[in-house]
Structure formats: C-alpha cells, structure tokens
Amino acid sequence: MKLTCIICPNGCALEIDEKTMKVTGYKCSRGAAFAVNELTNPRRSITSTVKTTLPEYPVVSVRSDGDLPKALIGKAISLLKTILVDEYLPIGTIIVNNVLDTGVNIITTTAMYKGDTRI
Amino acid sequence: MRRYDVVVIGAGPAGLAASRKAYENGASVLLLEREAKLGGILKQCIHDGFGLWRFKEKLSGPEYAEREIASLANTSVEIRTLTYVSDIKKNNGIFNLTLITRNGIEKVEAKNIILATGCRERTARQIFIQGTNPAGVFTAGSAQYYINILGQMPTKKCVILGSGDIGLIMARRITLEGGKVVGVYEVKPTPSGLSRNIAQCLNDFQIPLHLSHTVTRVFGSDRLTAVEICKVDENMRPLIETAEIIECDALIISVGLIPENEIAEKLNVVLNPKTKGPLVDQTLMTMGDNIYSCGNALHVSDLADFVSESGEIAGFNAAKKDKKNRDLREIAIDKHLSYVVPSHIDFAVPHEEIIVYFRSANEYENVNLIVEADGQLLFKKRYQHLRPPEMERLVLNLSKLQDPASLHLRIEDLH
Amino acid sequence: MIDLVKYHKIRRQILRKHPNLSVTDKDGCILLQGELDSWDNIVQVGYLAASLKCDGVINEIKLKGYQPLAMRISPIVDRQYDGLQCDVLIVGGGIIGTAILREFSKYKIKAVLIEKESDVALHASSRNDGCIHVGIDLSRHSLKHKYLRRAVLMYEDLAHNLNVEYRKTGQTLVFTKAWMRAIMPFFVRHAIKKGIKGTRIINRRELLEREPHINKEARFAVFFPDGAIISPYNMVVALAENAIQNGAQILLDTAALSMEVSDQRIKSVATNRGTIYPRVVVNAAGVFSDVLAKMACDQCFTIHPRQGVEVILDKKASKYMVNSSLSFYRGSGDKKVHTKGGGVIPTVDGNILVGPTANEIPEREDFSTSIEEINALITKHRQAIPNLRQSDIITYFAGIRAATYEEDFVIRKGKWTTNIIHAAGIQSPGLTAAPAIAEDIVKFYQEITNESLNSNPSFNPIRNQQKPLKDLSESERDALIRQNPDYGQIICRCEEISKGEIIDALHRPLEVNTLDGIKRRIRAGMGRCQGGFCQPLITQIMAHEKNLSLTDIKKKGTGSILLNANKEDLK
C-alpha cells in the first residue's frame, strides 16, 4: 500500500507491504512507525474551534495534545460542538480531559484576554 | 522625530523573528503592524504542523505566533499595532516613514527597513472566472477567517478551486464543520500543495481531487447557485465540450499567493518576476541599500519555520553597524529551476553559511542539484523527488570562493 | 400621424422577408407581432419598422422556443408603503430617475422614487465608462443631441455642488489614415456648429506627446477639450442623497408590479410593498421602461437589450495610461453597429477602462461575462494601445443598454395615458444628458397637472461628502484623525480606507445595507486584493453599526447573504 507520511513536512512517499509489514521510503524511524500504524491503528490529531460566551471571542481555537484513533474523529468533533468556554483561558488550558477515553486532552491554542480587540 | 536603527514593517512570523534578532544584535527596533493584534496570518491558521522544524513540536498557527510574540517580551523592541505605513521615502540615506495611527499621522526615521509584509491571495477576477458576481465566492483565506475567527460557516456545499495548501486545509476544515466539499479542482496536472496535506485533508475525508480541471463560470445572481467545471488541455485551456455544472452555494478559491510589495515598489526596489518578491543577497538585503526583505513578501514559503528563519537572517544583518560596499554576483539558474532565493551572493560579507531556498520548475525524480562557480563543481546534492509545491532548503559554503565571475545552480538528471 | 405610403412600403418589406408576422398600425405606432427563430432577426425587423419614423415601434415578436426570465424582484413582500400618496412617483433609481428626483426636490412637491434593487444605480448606471460626452456622433435631430447640448453646460457646476469628482480629461478621436486629414476642417467646423466648443485638430507630434502610449500608426487626432470623466454610480448616489436631504423619498427593494389604469389615467401602482397612489408617474425604468409603459397602457416604444462588457486595468498599468478618453476612428464600416466602438478611458480612481462591446441579447438582466468577449475586447483595443495585456486586468463587468429601435431617448408625456411621463430608452449619452432631461420632466409634470410648482425654500443644492482621507493633505487628515481616531485605523489596506470612513458610509441619507454598497461608495474592497483581507472586517463593522448579526450581512441584495450556513443546515 502506498501512502504519504504526514509526520513532518518532508511528506515522504512510503510503501508498506500489507503481509510482511515491511516499510520502504522512510527517512526516519517515525515514518516507519507511521506506516505500520496507518495499517493497524491509524491515528490523527484534531484541530477545531469551540464556541465561547465571551464577547471578544466568538470561538477559540483548540487542538488535541496527541493523536486520536482516526475512527473517533467524528465523535470528538461532535463533542467539541457541545462545549461552551466561559472564561478567559491561557494557551494550553485543558478544556476536555481524556477525550473519549483516549488518554488525549483537548487544549486551547489561542490566548484569551479580557478587552481583546480584533478591529 | 525618532530615528531607529531598524524599522520592521509587518508583525507576522517573519517580522517578529526579524525584530528579535535585530534587537539581539544591538539595534534599536520599531516593529509596525497594521492589524490590532500581532501574529499575521497565523492567528487564523488553527491547524497544526507548525514548528516541527523550528521547535520540534507540532503546534497550531496561533501557538507558533504566541511563541514568537512572547520572545519579544523582555526586549526593548518598540511595538505599534494599528499602524499603517502610508508612505516611505529615502533622503540622504535615511528612511522617512509616514504612519497612519489612531493618534494621528506620525513620522519616524529609520537607518534600515525590513519588509515583512507577507502576501495576498490571487482573486477570482485574476483567473478570469466568468458569469455572474454573486455572494458565495471566497478566497480560501477569507473563508478561513470567517470560520476560525468568527465561528461562522460561509457555505453548506462548496467547490474548491486550486489544490494549494490553504485550499486543502479548508477542504478538511469545512468538512469537519459539517459542510460538504464536492471536490477540489486543480488546473495543473499535478497538485499544488504539500503531499501530506493531500493525504490528511483530502484522502482522509474521501474528498476527490480532480487534476487538469478548472472552474470557468459561476451562476447565481444574488447567491451562488452553481459553477461550471471544464477539463483543460496541456496548455491549461478549458475544453468547452467537457463542461459540467455542479450545484453548490460557494466557490472557494485557492489559486496562489502573491507577495505584497507595494512598499518595496515605493522605494523602487527591484522585484524578481518569478517570485514577485525583491531580489536579495544572502543577507536578505534587496538591491536597495539597507532595505531588507523576509518571509512571504520575499517569496511564498510553505513553512512558517522557514519564514521565521528568513526573518532572523534579515534582522541579524540589518542590525550590523558598519556595512561595506557590496560585491554582488547573480546566481544563474537553469530552466529546471523556478527560482532561487537569494538571487545574488555578496562576496564582501561572510559567505560560508548561506541559506538557500529553491523550487524546481517541474516534478523530478532522482536528480542532482549542482552548484558551480566558473564552471567548477562546488556542491552536489541528490534528491529523490523534487516538486514545485515543496520548497527546498540548502546550506551552501562558498568560503573558498574569492572572486568568481559566475555562479550557476542547475539540476542534473540521473537517468 | 403615420405616413401611409411609407408605412405600407415598410410593411411589405417586412412581410416579404417574414410572411408569418403581423404588422399593424396602432394609433400612430407600428405594432409587430408573431414569432421568429432568431433574436437578430427580431431586432432587424424592429429597426426596419423604426425607419418609418412614426410615433414608435411596439415589437411584440416572440423568440421561438424561448421564454425570457421574469424581472428580478426583491423577495420582500409586505405592506410597508401601502396607501402611500404622492404627487410624483418616479420608477427607477438610475442616473435618470435620481436626477429627476433631485430636480423635483427643488420644488414644494411630494416626490417619491421606487427602485426594485437594494441600492440605486445597480443597472446601467454603475456599468458604464463614466464619460461625460461631448456628443461627437449624435444626429442633430435627435433627443440625445438636444439634451446633451443643454446638459454639458450645467454638468460641471452640478458635480461641484454635489461634491462628485469631475475631471476634464478631454476626448481624443484618433485617425490612422493620413488622407482623412484633408477633410478634417469640415469635420471640425461641423462639430463646432453642433455646439462642441474648442474642437481642434492635433497633429501627430502633439498627439504622441499627449498620448505617448498609443499605436504609432496614429496620424492625427481631433481633440474635444470639454470631454470629462466622473464616477457614474457616485453621481447617482450624490443625486439621491441630495434629493433626500431636500425632502424627497427613495424606497429601495420596491418594484412596480401592476397599475390600475382607467379613464386614461393611472389610479394606483401596486408594488411588492403595497399600493401607491401617485398623481403622476415618471417612467425611468431603464431596461424595463417599455414593460412599465405597457403596464400603464402607454407603450409606444420597445427596448431591445444591448449588452456591453467592460474591462478594468490595474492603476499600475501605466504603460497603457491614456490621458484622455481615447478612441480610434473606425470608419463608416458597419453602420448596423450602433455604438462608437468604445475606447480606452481613464477613470477618476486612476484605473483604465477598456470597452464596451455591443451584443443584442433577449435578456434584460443578463450581467454575465464571457472569456470570448474579454479576449475580443483586448484584441480590438490593442489596435489603439499596443501594450494592452490580459494580465493587467483586475476586474470586468457587463451592463445592458436600454436601447429603443429608434436608437434615441423617449422623453415625452404619455401618448394615451395622461398622467405618465416617459424618460426612457436611455443609453449613451444618458449619464451626460440626465440633468437636462430632468428639467424637462418637471416641465411636463407642470403641463400635465396644469399647475406651476412653487420653489422649495429650503432647497440646498450642496451635498456634503468627505473626500477620501488619503486624498487630503497630511495636516487635514491628521486633524480629522485627532477628532475621530477611527479615521486613523486603516481597514482596506489596498485602497487605504479607514474604519471611520466605513462607518460614515453606513450612516448616509440613503441607507446602505450591503457590502457592495459600501464598496461602490468608498472603494473599500475594490483594490488589488478585491476584499480578501477587508471583507471580513467590513462585515463585522457593518454588523456592529447596524445592530445586526453577522449572518444578516448581504453582499448585494436580499438573498445574497454571505455567511449562509446555520447549525441546523449542517450535520
């Protein structure tokens, strides 16, 4: 199976033999591991926004601090849509702990200040 | 009127890094930003993948920007937001800037200018999309702002024209927000964005990528109701007989970025028609003395990490006190290369560690990049793949060269 | 009265070519009915009928197998203006309608203008080249000539009072055939006799000094120093605002749908926002002026829409800079083409406009462009300016001329219906002729009502409008910013427009409630990035100023919501 590694900007073109699990085309060990994972247990990070009650921020950007199983992405995104942030949080604040029991947290990625202006 | 050693125009990642580096090298620095907040376009790039090279971490755009902003905290870099440079002139070696601010019109002077003004998106008009002019045509960047900053969706069902990175990122973003992306259409026969974005933005969501296709017409008088897609020939001309109508309510356009160089042009800085950014030497000084260029205004980069590096190079050099007369040589490139930055080498200043960025003109497999001076081989590097959308970075050591007559960069096929 | 001999001759000509048509005399007008399978043929029959020179051509010939689109109307339906009474109801908010409204506002009279779009000047009035013509090629017997000659004497003062930039660039007609130089003295004398003052011949040397970028094959030119340029939609907005300031009313999103006509009088006008009861109706309805005339039982002319495409080039394309409105003389070649052939024209914003083309089409509101037309435009005008390049095009648009078969204005009182006045069939030089036409409409009103109007004692001819701040001196600009810091915050960075100017534009006498309305008035979003950076900011400013949510903001009219997806629509 041919695939592109998404771990780093190199985007190496990998190839993995589905029977032997042998990987070719990687330039680092993370790439080799990525190819195996893609076959057995594909994982992705997620980035999105969640709504706030704060006038300065209609939404605040968030991301997962690790990779989630690809199959759970849809559910995770739906979960984020139910969240409402109501405080001015610093970057990196955990707003969802251990999302969907994956061991991964969702953290804020934009610093929020009272009185902040966009225009 | 205050006079600064260095005035940096633009506080995106390039300007932030340039300011810090210039300060660290002893310059008095004024950093100007026309928006209310620092960080440039990174504020709305909430996806991750930033800083993999620079910080060895996978950060989102806003986090990357915040790192750079935080690094200015204990410096004496003077930062002014909501400040717009409306005019700039050079008189007797000093730059006079006219600034429009909420407090009135202000004048400042600078010994050196660093242009970190970023880039803008190519518009629908510039690619001759015909038909009507309804609501629903967005550049990928504006759609990104609406969704990521304002939390509003500009579409329920859209077509994306252009497989540049922003378009790919938006394909994923719109899909995750519940919108339908009918497909990504690319006029060239090969994709314009990074391979890993094709994988994680399109393949992951089964969004089809149609190469050698373009949007020719837009329908709808008030709001977009459909677009017409055509296949194109080898010269990228639409084949009318293949026209297909796709119902949708938005056309998202991601067909290229154009460096913003209005200020450079005001200063009569020579631009490279290939990059649309200024010609520079390895210190990132343009052909205009003491005018530096970095970031996307110099040439459109794929990675914020490279943008920061170029900002640092410019900042470091702009802060130097006694500058010698330049001894420039142009780097000639062959037709297999689209461009090389820097375009010139200044032999009067250190040239043992020259950071070089280049893009190939076409896709190549198994080739050598060759650097020659006066016909002598200086440097060779093997590449398994070279693709125009993927900019390459090299470090060249030209210290052994004294006074070459010519410099050449070319690609050699290994087949 | 119809010239019967000529009528029968033309009738025979038409029927010989198209035996299935019906050609009849309708009380002095010539009525054409039937079906043809080519639009060009329908137009040609119309022209043939017009050569009769009777009271008008009513061309009802249908295009086989084709159903024209219904007139676009705002989806708003309510009774907001139901029962409204007024002395004069002007239908149409283009240059003609607003000029007439402003003229009426000089008097003590209740004047109301209804416009079916969400802003004034959305049809031909914002889709033309902004030339104030000298009237080179107008027949002396035409109404075009009559009104233009009067209007050119008043235009500069009018523009000055309304604070609309008026730039006298002159008009240059370039000739490439040296032999024509010999007959130029006759041409010049003829022009001067027609009233075009200052007309003179320019020799090749002077021509190339004035216009260094034109085709070197140019041999000489005729120069008309009084030719000028303005921003046409800004002129319409200025007239509209001044009229409102002087007591007139403009109702947007309001379309005339039907009229109650009895005893040869219009009793009421039904709109999508209620029924209005005017004493007199003025028909300034542009491409729909014949439809409105028919609604009033007074159709004595027919509009055949003629589309024109124009292209705008980047300010920086100084290679193609022309200093005057320039066109090349193309000879009497194709007499059937009723257009000067267009030219290369500077705009007051510093851009270059090339065009327009001319295409007879059956649709009255087809503003779509095509790549073929744009390519054809560039190719054609490269003859004039050899360096013209597609890559310098920043935008393009199409407009529809409201042409009658007589190819002249229809400025007259109703033929059958007594309380209608037509200011219809307006094409070039409508922008120029408007102020003079307006005067006559007021005159006709007084004749119809048999009353002379009293002056409006508080009429103020001056409309105050801040010049773009970037065009002021530094000290003026600085002073304004110190009074209002919003003037120092640049939102549209391509055109250097401030937040204060955007807010001002949202609080003008004629309500602005679309992003395009802001764009037209102050150019925010018209620069090189075409709103890529500023549109989201302007959207927020607009929502804030008008106390709307972001999802209420429209680009153009109702139905052009920008952010159109609510949570319920998405999974």
Side-chain angles (χ1 to χ4, degrees):
Chain A
M1 175 175 92
K2 286 203 167 89
L3 57 143
T4 307
C5 180
I6 61 171
I7 301 268
C8 93
N10 283 331
C12 296
L14 305 174
E15 194 158 354
I16 178 167
D17 186 316
E18 277 150 278
K19 287 204 281 285
T20 67
M21 292 303 211
K22 182 168 192 299
V23 186
T24 50
Y26 58 90
K27 285 206 197 105
C28 77
S29 58
R30 293 186 300 168
F34 173 79
V36 174
N37 267 333
E38 275 302 280
L39 225 46
T40 58
N41 173 24
R43 300 174 78 83
R44 296 282 184 273
S45 60
I46 58 168
T47 60
S48 187
T49 50
V50 305
K51 282 184 137 42
T52 83
T53 57
L54 311 167
E56 298 89 340
Y57 304 96
V59 289
V60 62
S61 58
V62 299
R63 68 171 168 88
S64 56
D65 62 6
D67 289 347
L68 300 153
K70 198 169 157 188
L72 287 179
I73 304 260
K75 243 177 141 189
I77 296 283
S78 300
L79 189 114
L80 289 178
K81 289 205 200 308
T82 64
I83 297 188
L84 206 56
V85 168
D86 55 8
E87 290 175 76
Y88 297 94
L89 305 169
I91 284 191
T93 309
I94 297 178
I95 56 163
V96 181
N97 226 310
N98 188 14
V99 66
L100 298 173
D101 217 14
T102 55
V104 171
N105 306 312
I106 306 291
I107 60 173
T108 62
T109 56
T110 294
M112 303 164 79
Y113 310 98
K114 194 160 173 28
D116 199 0
T117 49
R118 276 188 311 278
I119 13 170
Chain B
M1 195 172 356
R2 269 216 63 178
R3 182 181 295 187
Y4 298 86
D5 293 325
V6 177
V7 170
V8 180
I9 305 178
L16 290 166
S19 305
R20 179 177 44 80
K21 229 7 175 209
Y23 160 81
E24 282 171 6
N25 274 270
S28 59
V29 182
L30 172 64
L31 173 60
L32 304 174
E33 170 52 54
R34 63 183 173 84
E35 288 194 61
K37 297 173 72 155
L38 308 172
I41 205 70
L42 290 179
K43 300 194 290 295
Q44 63 185 59
C45 299
I46 65 159
H47 51 283
D48 61 18
F50 296 90
L52 286 167
W53 190 73
R54 189 167 171 75
F55 302 118
K56 305 281 182 287
E57 290 180 61
K58 194 164 74 165
L59 301 175
S60 64
E63 288 171 293
Y64 186 103
E66 197 57 35
R67 291 270 171 105
E68 298 290 329
I69 294 168
S71 73
L72 288 177
N74 295 316
T75 70
S76 62
V77 171
E78 195 180 321
I79 303 175
R80 301 214 209 149
T81 53
L82 291 176
T83 301
Y84 176 91
V85 177
S86 127
D87 199 11
I88 183 165
K89 288 188 174 49
K90 196 172 185 187
N91 281 325
N92 296 327
I94 297 293
F95 298 96
N96 293 306
L97 293 96
T98 304
L99 310 177
I100 311 294
T101 78
R102 285 181 66 87
N103 296 322
I105 299 185
E106 291 177 33
K107 306 268 194 189
V108 295
E109 287 180 345
K111 293 193 203 148
N112 298 276
I113 299 283
I114 300 183
L115 302 171
T117 44
C119 58
R120 67 180 186 273
E121 297 181 276
R122 186 167 274 114
T123 68
R125 294 320 223 179
Q126 285 174 288
I127 55 171
F128 294 101
I129 293 185
Q130 302 296 317
T132 53
N133 200 359
V137 179
F138 299 95
T139 53
S142 344
Q144 189 180 52
Y145 184 102
Y146 284 121
I147 301 177
N148 295 344
I149 304 289
L150 298 181
Q152 298 290 343
M153 275 291 275
T155 176
K156 297 175 215 160
K157 181 179 177 196
C158 67
V159 158
I160 297 183
L161 176 62
S163 60
D165 288 312
I166 315 178
L168 301 176
I169 295 287
M170 289 317 293
R172 177 175 66 181
R173 186 80 182 105
I174 290 172
T175 305
L176 286 177
E177 282 295 302
K180 170 108 180 95
V181 178
V182 174
V184 174
Y185 295 82
E186 166 59 55
V187 72
K188 300 202 222 25
T190 52
S192 302
L194 300 171
S195 316
R196 68 184 170 123
N197 282 334
I198 306 278
Q200 62 190 355
C201 298
L202 299 190
N203 301 341
D204 270 7
F205 299 92
Q206 289 106 46
I207 298 171
L209 170 63
H210 302 277
L211 298 171
S212 297
H213 278 75
T214 193
V215 171
T216 42
R217 290 184 76 85
V218 148
F219 298 93
S221 38
D222 288 330
R223 174 84 201 195
L224 198 147
T225 53
V227 298
E228 177 188 83
I229 308 275
C230 283
K231 203 167 186 318
V232 301
D233 64 17
E234 330 73 65
N235 297 314
M236 302 203 285
R237 296 252 155 86
L239 298 163
I240 311 293
E241 60 278 11
T242 64
E244 188 195 332
I245 311 280
I246 298 185
E247 279 181 12
C248 55
D249 67 11
L251 173 62
I252 311 278
I253 306 210
S254 173
V255 292
L257 298 172
I258 304 168
E260 273 294 355
N261 281 302
E262 297 297 302
I263 297 182
E265 290 186 33
K266 274 199 169 86
L267 291 168
N268 293 317
V269 166
V270 182
L271 300 182
N272 180 348
K274 278 288 180 57
T275 59
K276 306 251 192 310
L279 296 172
V280 291
D281 65 35
Q282 76 272 28
T283 68
L284 298 191
M285 190 192 285
T286 66
M287 298 300 114
D289 285 343
N290 299 335
I291 306 170
Y292 294 81
S293 171
C294 58
N296 278 347
L298 173 57
H299 65 118
V300 177
S301 276
D302 311 317
L303 297 184
D305 306 54
F306 291 157
V307 159
S308 299
E309 177 179 59
S310 86
E312 288 182 338
I313 296 173
F316 175 80
N317 287 293
K320 288 212 186 126
K321 294 293 177 196
D322 30 24
K323 301 198 177 114
K324 306 187 192 81
N325 280 332
R326 296 203 270 180
D327 182 19
L328 296 173
R329 296 285 181 287
E330 190 181 343
I331 306 176
I333 55 175
D334 75 352
K335 61 174 187 211
H336 300 295
L337 288 162
S338 179
Y339 68 78
V340 64
V341 171
S343 51
H344 291 69
I345 304 291
D346 179 5
F347 281 91
V349 294
H351 41 276
E352 63 271 356
E353 195 181 310
I354 298 182
I355 314 282
V356 171
Y357 301 105
F358 69 89
R359 284 189 197 269
S360 62
N362 295 302
E363 278 199 15
Y364 298 110
E365 307 227 347
N366 261 328
V367 291
N368 272 334
L369 179 82
I370 307 241
V371 182
E372 288 169 335
D374 295 330
Q376 300 277 58
L377 176 71
L378 274 182
F379 175 92
K380 184 159 67 173
K381 178 169 176 178
R382 173 133 179 266
Y383 287 92
Q384 224 171 15
H385 304 279
L386 278 181
R387 296 177 61 233
E390 282 159 17
M391 191 178 75
E392 296 291 338
R393 177 185 179 276
L394 272 184
V395 183
L396 287 185
N397 181 341
L398 301 181
S399 55
K400 294 205 182 69
L401 284 182
Q402 290 288 56
D403 190 10
S406 72
L407 283 171
H408 259 98
L409 204 76
R410 62 186 180 85
I411 290 192
E412 179 186 69
D413 206 328
L414 290 176
H415 291 126
Chain C
M1 263 327 329
I2 276 192
D3 174 340
L4 283 173
V5 171
K6 223 178 160 190
Y7 166 71
H8 283 291
K9 178 169 165 217
I10 286 172
R11 187 168 179 280
R12 265 196 310 273
Q13 267 181 291
I14 294 174
L15 293 175
R16 214 177 311 146
K17 260 184 128 170
H18 308 286
N20 291 330
L21 293 180
S22 146
V23 180
T24 48
D25 163 8
K26 183 182 174 185
D27 194 8
C29 293
I30 183 168
L31 172 63
L32 308 164
Q33 291 168 311
E35 201 179 69
L36 289 175
D37 51 23
S38 130
W39 183 256
D40 269 339
N41 284 341
I42 295 176
V43 172
Q44 292 316 314
V45 170
Y47 279 142
L48 195 44
S51 66
L52 174 57
K53 299 209 192 314
C54 61
D55 261 2
V57 174
I58 307 170
N59 190 343
E60 293 181 357
I61 304 174
K62 303 220 180 314
L63 179 58
K64 190 158 178 205
Y66 182 80
Q67 181 76 311
L69 294 169
M71 180 174 80
R72 283 169 15 86
I73 322 174
S74 165
I76 300 177
V77 176
D78 60 29
R79 309 209 70 73
Q80 179 87 351
Y81 307 123
D82 200 34
L84 176 65
Q85 292 182 326
C86 56
D87 295 312
V88 63
L89 178 68
I90 300 166
V91 182
I95 184 72
I96 301 297
T98 53
I100 295 170
L101 187 73
R102 194 244 183 192
E103 192 64 26
F104 272 114
S105 75
K106 292 179 180 169
Y107 303 95
K108 272 207 199 135
I109 180 175
K110 182 158 178 188
V112 174
L113 184 152
I114 57 174
E115 163 55 54
K116 75 178 183 81
E117 303 287 350
S118 59
D119 197 0
V120 294
L122 281 189
H123 283 221
S125 296
S126 62
R127 298 164 185 274
N128 64 77
D129 55 26
C131 280
I132 302 302
H133 291 291
V134 297
I136 308 169
D137 53 352
L138 302 175
S139 153
R140 280 169 79 176
H141 310 289
S142 64
L143 293 179
K144 287 180 179 180
H145 170 83
K146 168 180 166 180
Y147 287 106
L148 181 136
R149 291 264 60 82
R150 274 175 35 200
V152 293
L153 301 171
M154 38 170 110
Y155 223 100
E156 193 163 3
D157 282 342
L158 179 65
H160 186 251
N161 282 341
L162 294 175
N163 265 296
V164 174
E165 193 185 344
Y166 179 92
R167 216 184 287 172
K168 238 189 209 168
T169 54
Q171 217 168 326
T172 309
L173 183 59
V174 183
F175 292 80
T176 51
K177 296 196 173 18
W179 65 261
M180 294 195 80
R181 184 79 172 72
I183 57 168
M184 280 305 113
F186 297 103
F187 184 80
V188 171
R189 214 174 323 156
H190 180 68
I192 294 178
K193 259 173 88 175
K194 261 182 27 191
I196 309 177
K197 295 205 284 275
T199 308
R200 67 176 207 277
I201 305 172
I202 308 184
N203 65 25
R204 190 164 187 273
R205 191 179 41 83
E206 189 189 343
L207 175 60
L208 291 174
E209 262 168 34
R210 285 174 165 272
E211 301 290 359
H213 308 291
I214 62 169
N215 192 335
K216 301 292 182 268
E217 290 192 18
R219 287 284 162 266
F220 64 92
V222 179
F223 184 66
F224 309 90
D226 286 346
I229 52 172
I230 63 168
S231 163
Y233 43 87
N234 275 327
M235 188 62 179
V236 176
V237 167
L239 287 163
E241 291 182 352
N242 191 230
I244 292 173
Q245 283 170 327
N246 286 310
Q249 248 186 303
I250 295 186
L251 312 177
L252 300 170
D253 284 303
T254 308
L257 301 176
S258 65
M259 296 188 194
E260 193 197 328
V261 181
S262 61
D263 301 324
Q264 294 182 299
R265 285 185 62 83
I266 300 168
K267 295 295 194 303
S268 66
V269 177
T271 75
N272 55 312
R273 309 201 69 178
T275 303
I276 300 178
Y277 299 83
R279 287 177 72 195
V280 173
V281 171
V282 174
N283 177 6
V287 277
F288 290 100
S289 53
D290 56 342
V291 173
L292 195 84
K294 186 167 184 178
M295 223 186 263
C297 302
D298 201 76
Q299 183 188 0
C300 52
F301 60 92
T302 313
I303 302 295
H304 58 104
R306 192 159 57 231
Q307 196 203 57
V309 171
E310 311 226 54
V311 146
I312 298 195
L313 304 177
D314 199 330
K315 275 185 242 239
K316 289 201 294 206
S318 56
K319 288 202 215 69
Y320 331 130
M321 266 306 172
V322 290
N323 298 309
S324 61
S325 299
L326 199 100
S327 51
F328 269 52
Y329 180 76
R330 293 185 198 289
S332 53
D334 190 358
K335 278 235 150 57
K336 293 200 204 107
V337 178
H338 289 270
T339 170
K340 245 190 341 288
V344 182
I345 297 147
T347 70
V348 290
D349 309 305
N351 296 116
I352 298 285
L353 212 142
V354 180
T357 57
N359 277 320
E360 299 287 339
I361 60 171
E363 277 301 336
R364 298 169 193 265
E365 295 183 286
D366 182 358
F367 299 119
S368 62
T369 54
S370 74
I371 195 71
E372 294 82 23
E373 278 214 84
I374 294 185
N375 289 337
L377 249 188
I378 296 294
T379 307
K380 173 172 169 184
H381 291 283
R382 231 185 234 132
Q383 291 169 29
I385 312 288
N387 289 331
L388 226 54
R389 262 191 343 226
Q390 266 207 0
S391 54
D392 286 308
I393 296 178
I394 53 173
T395 190
Y396 34 86
F397 58 89
I400 311 280
R401 303 168 181 83
T404 60
Y405 288 102
E406 296 82 356
E407 296 296 339
D408 198 5
F409 300 155
V410 177
I411 313 290
R412 56 171 294 166
K413 291 179 271 194
K415 183 175 160 68
W416 296 288
T417 304
T418 54
N419 62 342
I420 188 163
I421 307 171
H422 301 290
I426 307 292
Q427 46 170 310
S428 178
L431 173 65
T432 312
I437 293 174
E439 284 183 343
D440 268 12
I441 302 305
V442 173
K443 197 173 80 171
F444 292 155
Y445 173 90
Q446 294 176 100
E447 288 169 11
I448 289 174
T449 57
N450 215 354
E451 297 165 4
S452 49
L453 291 169
N454 296 319
S455 300
N456 173 1
S458 54
F459 177 75
N460 184 358
I462 311 289
R463 177 199 77 133
N464 284 315
Q465 174 55 32
Q466 177 73 268
K467 275 217 292 264
L469 260 61
K470 68 165 178 185
D471 293 340
L472 299 176
S473 71
E474 263 179 36
S475 51
E476 284 179 288
R477 191 177 186 183
D478 185 57
L480 282 170
I481 296 174
R482 284 174 199 280
Q483 276 172 26
N484 179 3
D486 281 343
Y487 284 135
Q489 184 175 337
I490 301 297
I491 299 289
C492 165
R493 53 89 212 244
C494 297
E495 296 290 313
E496 212 172 305
I497 312 288
S498 68
K499 182 177 183 184
E501 289 165 275
I502 294 168
I503 293 175
D504 286 349
L506 290 164
H507 295 288
R508 286 163 67 150
L510 178 64
E511 201 192 329
V512 181
N513 45 28
T514 61
L515 292 171
D516 278 2
I518 304 269
K519 191 165 76 160
R520 275 190 298 274
R521 282 157 178 76
I522 60 173
R523 291 193 62 78
M526 269 189 173
R528 55 189 190 273
C529 90
Q530 291 282 297
F533 279 120
C534 67
Q535 191 198 68
L537 302 180
I538 298 175
T539 301
Q540 292 175 74
I541 294 172
M542 196 163 188
H544 183 260
E545 287 299 305
K546 294 200 171 268
N547 222 352
L548 297 169
S549 60
L550 293 168
T551 50
D552 291 328
I553 304 299
K554 304 173 285 218
K555 177 184 190 286
K556 3 172 49 164
T558 319
S560 68
I561 295 285
L562 212 63
L563 305 165
N564 69 344
N566 345 331
K567 294 304 149 194
E568 300 83 63
D569 298 318
L570 308 166
K571 64 167 155 65

